[in-house]
Structures are given as structure tokens and as C-alpha cells.
Amino acid sequence: MSSATASSFDTWVKPTWCPGCGDFGILAAVKHALTDLAIAPHETLVVSGIGCGSKLPDYMHVNGFQTLHGRPLAVATGAKLANHQLTVVVVDGDGDAYGIGGNHFIHTVRRNTDVTHLVENNQIYALTKGQYSPTTPQGRVTTTSPEGVIERAVNPVALALTMGATFVARAFAGEPTHLAGVIKQAVSHRGYALIDVLQPCVVFNRINTYQWYSERIYKLDDAGHDPQDRAAAERAAVEWDDRIPIGVIYREDGVPTYEEQLPALRDGPLVGRSLTERAAFDGLKNQFM
């Protein structure tokens, strides 16, 4: 049992996010969730991509890896295969996860790799000054769509369900306590877990504000939602505009993870293998290099 507290995850680095950014709530929720789960900093790896929210590993005292744009799920999968006893959390934005890294998103979902994936969904590329992203609503005027977005927006929750995700949730950065509870369930789940976090951007998205969300969101737990009810989950996944559900939308337990099915990992994490095995690997490698 770890004796880590929320302050165990603090660093001396001050966030450069804009005052009021939803990323502050997400950072606080991640710290509290890991603390409540008694997971120590050295047992945790946070992987991110490129973007405002992807700076999060800089502000946590954990193992961190900031990857190329759209590639955190690929790196997280590799890390999980090397040490499948590590708690791996991926944090990136909607452009990183659903656009540039969209193909990695789809295939990580169907592989059911045991990683927790928090997507900071502000419906915009904020770090690049307000480009429209895959989740920007059709018709929305942005810096790169002065006459309105032509494409229809991606529904990441519905897409994850379609691809066979075993844990799908939506949360709101303006309710960090509720978000921390969802993160705890996601980290405890064996398999890929998506949390699409509604995260207000106070500079480049003046429509989907804290007030806009607060007037619409409702908690699925309060509504008696059963996350094991597939049909109910599909209905919740497409509910938007006037009422937006937050909480665990779908959960399926007992599905083997990707790493559990790999024969090479049955003897334990690769990082724990003896040097004898490593020497054998080097000999094998030398035959082909």
C-alpha cells in the first residue's frame, strides 16, 4: 500500500495554461484519483501528445513522456507491453486523439490495451490559435473556418462504443470531484478506458463555456443509468445539446486485455527479465543486424 498523498504528485513547475482553463480541473482530478487509489508516483506513467493539455505530465511528479502529435497511445501501448504492472494514463486533446491520432485511437480501443485515456475535449485546436478540430460542430466559425466548418463532427463516445471499447465515460472539467471518481473507475478497469472530458477553452471557444455546460449536463448515476446496459449506453452516447449525460456510459468487465493474451508476457514484465534472457536477445538481434 502506497503512502502517497495528493502533494506527492506536485512539482515546482507552474502551469502555463490560461487563467480559467479547464485543464486545471483535470490536473487536480488526476492527482486526487491516483491518491485515492493509493498508486504512488513511481508506479505511474503519464503519456501525452502535443497541445495545451498535453503539458500535463510537466506538472505532475510521475514518470512522464510527451510524444509526437497524435502518437501517445502508440507509446503508451509500448510502455504497457514492457511493464504491464505500470499504471499508464494517456492525456491529450481532441485534435491529438481523434484527428491526428485517430487511427491509433481506433486500434487501441479494439485491442483493449489496459490504459486509461483522458481526452481534453474543448472542440478546438487551442495551442494553434483556434483551428477547428474533429469535434468542432458543423457550421462553427473558427480561425480556419471563417464561413463555417463543413464536416460533421466526430462523436468519440459513439465511435469508441462501435469499436468495442470496454469502458466509455464522459466527464466535465468544471466538476473535478465527479471527474476524479470517474478516473478512479477507469484506472481500476482492466482494459482500455476512454474518458471524454468536456473542457472549456476560455480563449478560442466562447460558446461551450462553463455556464453552457452547467445548464445542460446531468449525472448518469442520478438518472439510474446501468452502464452494463448496451442499448442504454448507445442512447446516452448520442444525447447532446439540451441535455448532456456525464459519468460512466458503458462498462464491460472480463474481456481479456491485449497484453494478457501475449505469450511473451506470461512470465512477467519484460523489464523484469534476467540479463541471461537479455543476452540471448542480443545474440538473436546480432544475427539480423
Side-chain angles (χ1 to χ4, degrees):
M1 181 70 71
S2 167
S3 58
T5 64
S7 61
S8 302
F9 295 95
D10 292 341
T11 70
W12 59 269
V13 183
K14 300 296 182 185
T16 58
W17 296 319
C18 302
C21 175
D23 287 336
F24 286 101
I26 296 171
L27 174 62
V30 172
K31 288 181 178 179
H32 281 285
L34 293 174
T35 302
D36 289 349
L37 291 171
I39 299 173
H42 72 278
E43 299 169 329
T44 306
L45 170 67
V46 178
V47 185
S48 69
I50 299 296
C52 296
S54 290
K55 299 175 185 175
L56 188 142
D58 295 343
Y59 312 138
M60 288 191 66
H61 179 57
V62 293
N63 301 292
F65 196 139
Q66 190 167 27
T67 73
L68 299 175
H69 213 343
R71 300 296 176 261
L73 284 173
V75 172
T77 298
K80 194 69 182 182
L81 296 182
N83 185 0
H84 54 280
Q85 295 179 340
L86 196 64
T87 296
V88 179
V89 178
V90 176
V91 180
D92 57 354
D94 45 296
D96 195 275
Y98 306 140
I100 297 170
N103 208 27
H104 292 282
F105 170 59
I106 290 172
H107 294 294
T108 305
V109 170
R110 71 181 183 85
R111 288 175 183 137
N112 199 34
T113 307
D114 186 23
V115 300
T116 298
H117 189 190
L118 283 89
V119 180
E120 302 140 319
N121 187 354
N122 55 19
Q123 304 173 58
I124 208 79
Y125 280 99
L127 195 63
T128 46
K129 312 302 182 188
Q131 293 174 265
Y132 71 87
S133 81
T135 55
T136 304
Q138 191 175 31
R140 177 73 57 83
V141 174
T142 72
T143 57
T144 51
S145 58
E147 297 180 352
V149 175
I150 297 172
E151 301 104 315
R152 285 181 287 184
V154 168
N155 181 331
V157 173
L159 178 59
L161 279 174
T162 302
M163 295 311 302
T166 56
F167 187 103
V168 181
R170 181 187 287 126
F172 176 42
E175 298 218 16
T177 301
H178 177 264
L179 172 57
V182 175
I183 294 172
K184 286 163 59 178
Q185 294 182 68
V187 172
S188 301
H189 175 71
R190 292 190 64 79
Y192 173 82
L194 170 69
I195 307 175
D196 186 64
V197 186
L198 306 174
Q199 179 248 323
C201 174
V202 295
V203 174
F204 294 106
N205 187 342
R206 301 297 180 90
I207 296 176
N208 305 106
T209 62
Y210 286 98
Q211 181 177 351
W212 190 93
Y213 283 120
S214 297
E215 293 171 350
R216 290 165 174 79
I217 61 171
Y218 73 94
K219 295 183 175 67
L220 286 167
D221 284 346
D222 297 340
H225 176 74
D226 177 5
Q228 294 182 317
D229 184 334
R230 176 83 187 189
E234 291 174 352
R235 289 194 296 273
V238 297
E239 191 174 9
W240 191 257
D241 288 328
D242 294 337
R243 281 170 57 80
I244 302 174
I246 61 172
V248 180
I249 292 174
Y250 183 69
R251 179 169 192 157
E252 182 179 2
D253 297 318
V255 179
T257 66
Y258 184 74
E259 55 272 22
E260 286 173 341
Q261 301 175 77
L262 288 177
L265 299 181
R266 287 175 184 160
D267 295 331
L270 296 179
V271 295
R273 300 295 173 83
S274 69
L275 292 177
T276 301
E277 292 184 34
R278 185 164 298 177
F281 172 74
D282 289 340
L284 181 64
K285 184 175 64 176
N286 290 335
Q287 294 181 36
F288 298 95
M289 295 183 66

